[in-house]
Amino acid sequence: MSKPKPEKERVLKKPLKKIVTKTISEKDINGFFDENEIDFLQANVSLEVMDFLRESLKERLAGKEIKRGKTEDFIKQALKEVLLEVVSQKGKGFEQVIKESKKHGKPACFVFLGFNGSGKTTTIAKAAHYMLSKGFKPVLAAGDTFRAASIEQLEHHGEKLGIKVIKHQYGSDSAAVVFDAKKFAESKGYDAVLADTAGRAHTDKNLMEELSKVVRVNKPDMKILVLDSLTGNDAVEQARTFDSFVGVDAVILTKTDVDEKGGSILSVCYAIKKPVLFLGTGQDYEDFESFEPKKFVNRLLEE
Ligand SMILES: Nc1nc2c(ncn2[C@@H]2O[C@H](COP(=O)(O)OP(=O)(O)OP(=O)(O)O)[C@@H](O)[C@H]2O)c(=O)[nH]1
Ligand SMILES: [Mg+2]
């Protein structure tokens, strides 16, 4: 049987606990956000996401007892966890999609879409280079029949990479180009079709209808939204509209070498709940990094 504790020790225990611990309050969390708000906004984290983070942390933390003097560390750790959840959206990668299609004896069809100049064509070349490095055989479909020189731009990449490009005339039906590329790839045993599409403003009804047709006719295995990280918060609007129009399966964010924090990734993931697959980190084919949620969150929270 344990001996009862001496009176002095029992009396002291409570006040001592009060000195070394404190109860975290909503005020602490608000204070943390007020202090760091500018940094977040400068990193292109949207106000909507800021509110979500603030409320999530209140739910998780308010009323918890923590070591005195450690409030900021504690909030930061919890914030890291929430951020990780937001950017770790579930989805398939290129390899998985290609292998699944292969089982059915078909090439996987990837359609790349997005705003003018977001980096679609460059990203297709990088993705094709990546697939080659994994031992897959891709073909490119010149589905941008709209912008001057777009077909030549894709052909130029095709030549450099040694990859076949399927094309029609300028002004022809984009959906038909992708359809032919799929037929070609299937008959010749290729693994993947990477289809370019014209850049379009998400507000342009006609071009958005054309994109819907490309998707309706070809039923791609993956619709990849290419977003320019320099677009800032407009990326969220683009993501929402493209997603509601054709359904986005995954996102690739380009030009992250220029916008090194890339907070719009967070805003986009939060808005459409789709995974980011890769980051464009420059103009060369190798400048294509698999997106790593942990690395991203650490970079975002760097002082
Ligand atoms: N620094 C940097 N530049 C990039 C990156 N990705 C694309 N670019 C550049 O962005 C510009 C536009 O790229 P494109 O691939 O032509 O963009 P697009 O979306 O196909 O453009 P449109 O077909 O006109 O809509 C080019 O100068 C690319 O070299 C990147 O990750 N980093
Ligand atoms: Mg293009």
Side-chain angles (χ1 to χ4, degrees):
M1 229 169 74
S2 62
K3 275 199 292 186
K5 285 192 174 132
E7 191 59 23
K8 199 172 164 196
E9 197 182 316
R10 260 192 286 149
V11 171
L12 266 181
K13 201 162 182 181
K14 225 178 171 189
L16 203 62
K17 197 175 173 204
K18 258 199 170 161
I19 294 166
V20 294
T21 66
K22 75 165 259 177
T23 305
I24 201 159
S25 66
E26 291 203 351
K27 203 171 145 208
D28 292 320
I29 294 160
N30 282 334
F32 174 85
F33 274 94
D34 292 345
E35 222 169 85
N36 293 290
E37 192 165 30
I38 296 289
D39 289 342
F40 275 117
L41 294 178
Q42 275 173 352
N44 274 333
V45 178
S46 66
L47 279 173
E48 190 187 1
V49 173
M50 291 285 291
D51 286 344
F52 166 75
L53 295 173
R54 194 188 284 251
E55 291 315 308
S56 302
L57 289 196
K58 282 181 188 168
E59 259 172 45
R60 281 173 196 227
L61 299 183
K64 285 221 162 133
E65 285 220 330
I66 59 165
K67 271 197 183 144
R68 206 167 268 282
K70 294 279 178 198
T71 313
E72 179 151 345
D73 291 351
F74 200 75
I75 296 179
K76 259 196 172 165
Q77 187 50 41
L79 176 62
K80 242 184 196 181
E81 286 162 20
V82 179
L83 290 173
L84 257 182
E85 279 173 25
V86 175
V87 295
S88 304
Q89 302 290 336
K90 285 203 176 66
K92 294 177 185 173
F94 285 165
E95 287 96 331
Q96 190 185 347
V97 171
I98 294 174
K99 283 177 186 161
E100 282 177 9
S101 295
K102 239 178 152 56
K103 274 190 205 151
H104 299 106
K106 287 193 185 300
C109 179
F110 300 88
V111 170
F112 292 72
L113 41 113
F115 197 70
N116 305 293
S118 65
K120 295 174 293 299
T121 308
T122 310
T123 299
I124 286 174
K126 289 176 179 179
H129 176 262
Y130 173 87
M131 288 177 190
L132 283 177
S133 77
K134 298 283 175 195
F136 298 120
K137 266 172 62 187
V139 289
L140 308 182
D144 179 357
T145 58
F146 185 73
R147 182 176 63 75
S150 64
I151 300 176
E152 288 78 3
Q153 187 190 359
L154 198 68
E155 283 185 310
H156 170 74
H157 286 303
E159 270 164 33
K160 274 175 80 176
L161 291 163
I163 299 178
K164 174 103 182 149
V165 177
I166 306 298
K167 62 172 183 176
H168 290 186
Q169 303 289 318
Y170 281 102
S172 62
D173 183 4
S174 181
V177 181
V178 182
F179 190 78
D180 275 2
K182 277 180 67 177
K183 269 204 320 208
F184 172 85
E186 190 172 349
S187 67
K188 304 278 184 197
Y190 282 82
D191 300 311
V193 173
L194 306 189
D196 200 6
T197 60
R200 63 203 80 216
H202 49 298
T203 45
D204 186 329
K205 272 229 141 180
N206 289 339
L207 279 175
M208 289 305 274
E209 290 296 347
E210 187 213 49
L211 187 61
S212 292
K213 185 177 172 197
V214 170
V215 168
R216 205 168 53 243
V217 170
N218 293 292
K219 300 183 181 52
D221 299 285
M222 230 180 174
K223 288 152 282 174
I224 299 168
L225 178 63
V226 179
L227 291 172
D228 177 343
S229 59
L230 300 173
T231 316
N233 276 318
D234 195 43
V236 173
E237 213 32 58
Q238 290 176 19
R240 280 210 173 99
T241 319
F242 277 103
D243 190 37
S244 67
F245 238 88
V246 291
V248 167
D249 298 303
V251 174
I252 293 179
L253 220 88
T254 64
K255 309 180 197 178
T256 59
D257 48 313
V258 191
D259 172 32
E260 90 283 12
K261 286 245 174 183
S264 42
I265 292 174
L266 190 65
S267 310
V268 167
C269 286
Y270 177 75
I272 62 168
K273 309 277 185 283
K274 298 292 156 59
V276 175
L277 289 187
F278 290 92
L279 301 178
T281 56
Q283 311 217 14
D284 294 331
Y285 298 142
E286 292 80 12
D287 297 329
F288 198 51
E289 272 181 25
S290 286
F291 177 68
E292 289 174 37
K294 271 192 187 147
K295 193 169 154 193
F296 166 75
V297 169
N298 286 336
R299 203 161 65 177
L300 190 70
L301 294 180
E302 248 167 33
E303 299 287 320

